[in-house]
Amino acid sequence: MIEVRDLVKRYGSHLAVDHLSFVVEKGQIYGFLGPNGAGKSTTMNIMTGYLGATEGQVLVNGHDMLREPEEAKRLIGYLPEIPPLYTDMTVREYLAFAAELKKVKRAEISSQVEQVMDMVKLGDVQDRLIRNLSKGYKQRVGLAQAVLGFPEIIILDEPTVGLDPKQIIEIRQLIRELAKKHTVILSSHILAEVREVCDHVMIISKGRLVASDTPDHLERLIEGEETLELEAKGSRSQVEDILRGIQGVRELRSHEQGDGMTKVQIQVADHREIREEIFYAFAEHKCPLYRIQMSKATLEDVFLELTQNENEDNAAQETDPGAGVPEDKEGESHEGDL
């Protein structure tokens, strides 16, 4: 569907994207993750044809974005982090205008506008000026323009940024609906959102791809010994004595709480399942066990592990295009991830 080959983007001496390569398959939701300044927005802007690459190639269904831009862009709908809205237009006027720009057949413009407004639930505000809409509705209008023309690929840069919890849930549901008929790529700083919505995750650091897999597989990458957490009613010494009698407990850390409870973290050797043994041991000693649960690596743990050496100075070197920052010697505005 999309093939990125050895992509490079330089701004003077700053290397924003460093020989990045990956493939996006049809019919999945891809999460694009990375710290601020890692090159996410730069890459997405190159993929959509908004920026040119210094080196490398982007192929969309076999169409080279540089040599066949019209054919490639026709297959992509793009929602930047700040939606490109004309705020003095009504919602309907703007979407009709966007449809014309996308070269939707004149006879189909009205029906397509109706269809996307119904899809993103804009019917109640279709005749209101965009400048008078809430942040959530503006985001919906931006999403509607991305869907117009029904491209095969929808690329969303931080689609839920600045929204309230109810609006976030609605946008996530909409993304899932879009994925039934489109390939979706989204960038987000909300790792729980990516974990919940995406089928595949790509993590970049310093402009390079450092991981590409399903969320489940990525979480298993950094799993080592199993960790158990438990709470029991009893003194620290009593709880530790019980646990030390259980085979498979490699290491434990405990502390007493003010209500007569002791909380313990246990490192379990060789991925052994010892929860039943713990339960029966505490029952035998008549020591009430209030909670026991297995903890495992999360997508957040994976993200931090893979990007821990990210140079924080990169965030200052890469800013959003058109944001009024000075241009470099090549005349190109710097851009980046907010």
Side-chain angles (χ1 to χ4, degrees), residues 36-102:
N36 287 340
K40 299 188 304 298
S41 288
T42 302
T43 302
M44 296 177 99
N45 285 331
I46 294 172
M47 289 167 61
T48 56
Y50 180 64
L51 276 178
T54 306
E55 300 174 24
Q57 191 177 33
V58 175
L59 299 176
V60 184
N61 265 9
H63 299 291
D64 190 305
M65 183 60 76
L66 181 62
R67 297 178 181 177
E68 305 171 90
E70 196 164 320
E71 290 82 357
K73 290 179 183 180
R74 190 178 290 119
L75 299 169
I76 295 176
Y78 181 38
L79 173 63
E81 184 175 344
I82 301 174
L85 306 177
Y86 290 94
T87 57
D88 289 330
M89 287 182 170
T90 66
V91 172
R92 178 180 286 278
E93 288 170 345
Y94 170 74
L95 292 178
F97 173 65
E100 287 186 38
L101 292 179
K102 291 190 170 192

Side-chain angles (χ1 to χ4, degrees), residues 85-91 125 127-135 137-138:
L85 306 177
Y86 290 94
T87 57
D88 289 330
M89 287 182 170
T90 66
V91 172
V125 299
D127 296 318
R128 291 177 58 182
L129 292 176
I130 292 174
R131 69 164 175 256
N132 295 329
L133 298 180
S134 68
K135 168 75 173 177
Y137 271 114
K138 287 178 180 176

Side-chain angles (χ1 to χ4, degrees), residues 157-209:
D157 193 359
E158 299 284 352
T160 60
V161 67
L163 303 185
D164 65 39
K166 182 175 182 295
Q167 293 166 337
I168 289 173
I169 291 170
E170 291 171 346
I171 293 295
R172 287 179 186 173
Q173 291 171 342
L174 183 54
I175 290 170
R176 292 190 194 97
E177 286 298 314
L178 288 172
K180 293 177 181 178
K181 296 182 179 179
H182 307 267
T183 299
V184 179
I185 303 171
L186 69 90
S187 167
S188 178
H189 282 108
I190 306 172
L191 298 183
E193 176 173 88
V194 172
R195 182 68 178 86
E196 181 181 339
V197 173
C198 297
D199 305 308
H200 196 99
V201 175
M202 295 181 289
I203 301 176
I204 66 171
S205 178
K206 298 181 182 179
R208 293 184 176 184
L209 188 70

Side-chain angles (χ1 to χ4, degrees), residues 106-125:
R106 187 172 295 274
E108 298 176 5
I109 288 178
S110 180
S111 62
Q112 277 209 26
V113 168
E114 288 289 344
Q115 195 170 345
V116 298
M117 284 197 302
D118 181 62
M119 185 184 297
V120 303
K121 297 181 174 60
L122 286 170
D124 292 342
V125 299

Side-chain angles (χ1 to χ4, degrees), residues 265-309:
Q265 279 192 327
I266 306 164
Q267 294 293 327
V268 183
D270 303 323
H271 298 275
R272 291 189 58 178
E273 174 53 80
I274 62 171
R275 283 176 290 184
E276 281 191 18
E277 293 177 57
I278 290 174
F279 174 82
Y280 288 121
F282 275 79
E284 182 181 343
H285 287 82
K286 294 183 169 37
C287 182
L289 187 61
Y290 277 57
R291 180 176 68 89
I292 181 170
Q293 68 181 44
M294 188 78 72
S295 64
K296 66 172 187 174
T298 65
L299 189 58
E300 184 176 67
D301 297 323
V302 176
F303 179 84
L304 293 173
E305 177 82 11
L306 294 174
T307 62
Q308 62 182 343
N309 294 322

Side-chain angles (χ1 to χ4, degrees), residues 232-244:
K233 190 169 185 179
S235 67
R236 179 178 177 181
S237 59
Q238 179 188 10
V239 170
E240 287 189 356
D241 285 344
I242 296 172
L243 290 171
R244 288 195 177 100

